Amino acid sequence: MKTEDIAKLDEKYYSPVFGTRLPVSFVRGEDVYLFDSEGRRYTDFLSGIAVNCLGYSDEGLKQTLCDTVNSLMHTGNYFYIETQAKLAQRLCEATGFDNVFFGNSGAEAMEGALKLARKYHYAKGKPRAGFVTLQGSFHGRTFATLAATGQEKFHTPFEPLMEAFKHVPPNDIAALKAAVNESTAAVVIEPILGEGGVIEISAEYYQAVRRVCDERGALMIADEVQTGMGHTGELLASPSLGAVPDIVVLAKALGAGVPIGAFLARGKAAKAFAAGDHGSTFGGNYLACAAAYYVTNKLLDTDILGHVKETGAYFKNRLAALKDQCPVVKDVRGRGLMLGLELDAGVSAPGIKKKLLGDGFVAATAGANALRFLPPYVIQKTHIDSLMEALVKLLAE
Ligand SMILES: *Cc1c(COP(=O)(O)O)cnc(C)c1O
């Protein structure tokens, strides 16, 4: 089907929430490339928004999924599920957390984590309702995760929101200390604010969150939906910032394209839920767990994360050099293969993103006026070189 015909159907029958989309429809993927219906090739620096971490030609993943489709995709959680149990074991053993729950998306996993924090305090006999999150954060689109999200533009049409959420400026320890008190159930934090513009959280601040939570009896929840599962070159970003949260939330890259979210808990937080407190029809089914088990094993048993670190450092250096070359580049941020390039207000990041697409590169924007790059982990330096060539031209215009 032609892209403009798909667009007509979309305009007529699909909810208008995505507005006018980029004028491309992909029909096939191969390695780190996407192909449109006219056979044009694009190099992928977005991975379907941090999802397709293994690119498009991982034969092992395809085989695992085909085998699962051919045997059994879903039974519901009334029964034991082997891959679910093994995936839980692998994730817990690799991260040091005690248990996990699987849902279907980032927002849903966040919801579960927020419920778990409330239940933790309830079970202690001292219920606490409040949550402290960061200004500029993004935690999802459901009512609770919308309220957790520290960006006004998402809130206004949906008020009144859940009242429990306070937003504090990132990397401001004094503001954090002033906001967290005896009614705070948890502090929720992304190690790097993704949708907010690839804003890095300092190790000092991250550790202060841990300390303040311990002092005031609140839990620390890391939203690693975007940073987690290898984007920074580590399975989780939290340990490299020097603090271990009580609950960590995953999704996006976890299933490499198959929808799955998760929250992991440790210590007393892992014991807070009892039978009946939470659940899911689809969550943790055979298909989703087959994908996530494959991804987790791949990240842990091969050197792919080493490759993420190495190509990520190379990429960031090239972006930093671009900053010296092009005055419109204001800042280079991020770690591993989660990088952002803040542009001067005079140059539109969405405009550059569109032009990049015209040049055969898929990228995204985030935050105030930043380009955001989240390529599949199998990206090579030569792909980065090609992108840089296109970027230099566009930013010198
Ligand atoms: C994408 C994202 C979410 C929401 O995930 P969905 O799967 O879209 O519900 C939550 N938190 C962070 C940090 C994200 O990047």
Side-chain angles (χ1 to χ4, degrees), residues 317-328:
N317 278 338
R318 298 261 355 222
L319 291 171
L322 189 68
K323 183 170 173 244
D324 299 336
Q325 226 176 320
C326 303
V328 299

Side-chain angles (χ1 to χ4, degrees), residues 255-392:
V258 179
I260 178 169
F263 58 91
L264 293 105
R266 65 184 186 94
K268 287 192 183 130
K271 298 196 175 81
F273 270 164
D277 280 340
H278 201 54
S280 172
T281 300
F282 294 124
N285 81 7
Y286 285 74
L287 188 68
C289 288
Y293 190 49
Y294 182 86
V295 171
T296 306
N297 289 335
K298 183 104 186 183
L299 299 187
L300 292 172
D301 297 337
T302 70
D303 190 38
I304 195 164
L305 293 182
H307 180 78
V308 170
K309 272 191 207 138
E310 197 194 321
T311 44
Y314 177 79
F315 196 177
K316 195 170 182 182
N317 278 338
R318 298 261 355 222
L319 291 171
L322 189 68
K323 183 170 173 244
D324 299 336
Q325 226 176 320
C326 303
V328 299
V329 176
K330 288 288 147 207
D331 200 11
V332 177
R333 296 187 294 260
R335 268 194 293 148
L337 289 173
M338 178 176 176
L339 297 172
L341 191 72
E342 186 78 36
L343 302 180
D344 186 88
V347 184
S348 147
I352 298 291
K353 174 185 73 176
K354 264 195 186 160
K355 286 184 184 166
L356 276 176
L357 191 69
D359 288 344
F361 298 95
V362 184
T365 53
N369 196 34
L371 289 169
R372 179 171 46 149
F373 303 106
L374 292 154
Y377 301 166
V378 290
I379 199 91
Q380 301 293 339
K381 288 175 186 166
T382 51
H383 303 119
I384 294 165
D385 293 341
S386 310
L387 172 79
M388 296 311 300
E389 228 173 273
L391 255 183
V392 171

Side-chain angles (χ1 to χ4, degrees), residues 23-317:
V24 178
S25 180
F26 298 115
V27 293
R28 192 169 69 80
E30 193 185 303
D31 187 22
V32 297
Y33 303 111
L34 288 162
F35 295 84
D36 69 13
S37 45
E38 274 101 66
R40 244 200 106 200
R41 191 181 85 169
Y42 302 77
T43 311
D44 187 11
F45 281 87
L46 178 58
S47 309
I49 321 178
V51 169
N52 302 321
C53 60
L54 302 182
Y56 303 98
S57 293
D58 194 300
E59 295 309 317
L61 177 66
K62 290 183 193 178
Q63 195 55 55
T64 300
L65 292 176
C66 286
D67 292 347
T68 310
V69 168
N70 284 324
S71 56
L72 191 59
M73 287 196 278
H74 181 89
T75 60
N77 286 299
Y78 293 157
F79 311 97
Y80 291 104
I81 298 169
E82 182 178 331
T83 338
Q84 187 188 79
K86 285 163 123 175
L87 170 61
Q89 178 191 26
R90 193 86 220 254
L91 282 172
C92 287
E93 286 182 357
T95 57
F97 281 72
D98 294 323
N99 62 27
V100 59
F101 180 89
F102 298 119
N104 307 289
S105 69
E108 194 194 316
M110 267 305 305
E111 288 272 341
L114 297 171
K115 278 179 69 182
L116 182 60
R118 286 255 178 107
K119 180 68 203 292
Y120 165 85
H121 294 286
Y122 175 88
K124 276 173 68 174
K126 290 186 184 140
R128 293 182 176 203
F131 294 99
V132 173
T133 76
L134 298 187
Q135 287 169 11
S137 64
F138 182 84
H139 299 293
R141 303 282 199 160
T142 61
F143 264 108
T145 61
L146 192 63
T149 292
Q151 300 186 60
E152 285 295 317
K153 65 177 180 195
F154 294 113
H155 289 169
T156 315
F158 305 105
E159 286 166 351
L161 296 182
M162 276 181 72
E163 277 173 14
F165 294 86
K166 262 191 280 190
H167 306 107
V168 295
N171 295 324
D172 179 340
I173 295 174
L176 174 78
K177 283 185 175 160
V180 180
N181 56 39
E182 267 63 52
S183 66
T184 308
V187 175
V188 183
I189 181 166
E190 294 167 81
I192 300 172
L193 278 64
E195 304 301 312
V198 196
I199 310 289
E200 292 179 62
I201 297 301
S202 72
E204 189 195 0
Y205 185 79
Y206 212 68
Q207 289 161 27
V209 170
R210 179 69 277 174
R211 210 167 43 243
V212 170
C213 284
D214 288 341
E215 281 165 14
R216 319 251 157 112
L219 294 180
M220 176 176 177
I221 301 176
D223 180 348
E224 294 226 28
V225 167
Q226 197 158 145
T227 52
M229 297 311 287
H231 269 106
T232 66
E234 313 279 348
L235 193 66
L236 300 180
S238 293
S240 56
L241 292 178
V244 183
D246 301 290
I247 304 172
V248 65
V249 184
L250 299 171
K252 290 201 163 93
L254 178 57
V258 179
I260 178 169
F263 58 91
L264 293 105
R266 65 184 186 94
K268 287 192 183 130
K271 298 196 175 81
F273 270 164
D277 280 340
H278 201 54
S280 172
T281 300
F282 294 124
N285 81 7
Y286 285 74
L287 188 68
C289 288
Y293 190 49
Y294 182 86
V295 171
T296 306
N297 289 335
K298 183 104 186 183
L299 299 187
L300 292 172
D301 297 337
T302 70
D303 190 38
I304 195 164
L305 293 182
H307 180 78
V308 170
K309 272 191 207 138
E310 197 194 321
T311 44
Y314 177 79
F315 196 177
K316 195 170 182 182
N317 278 338

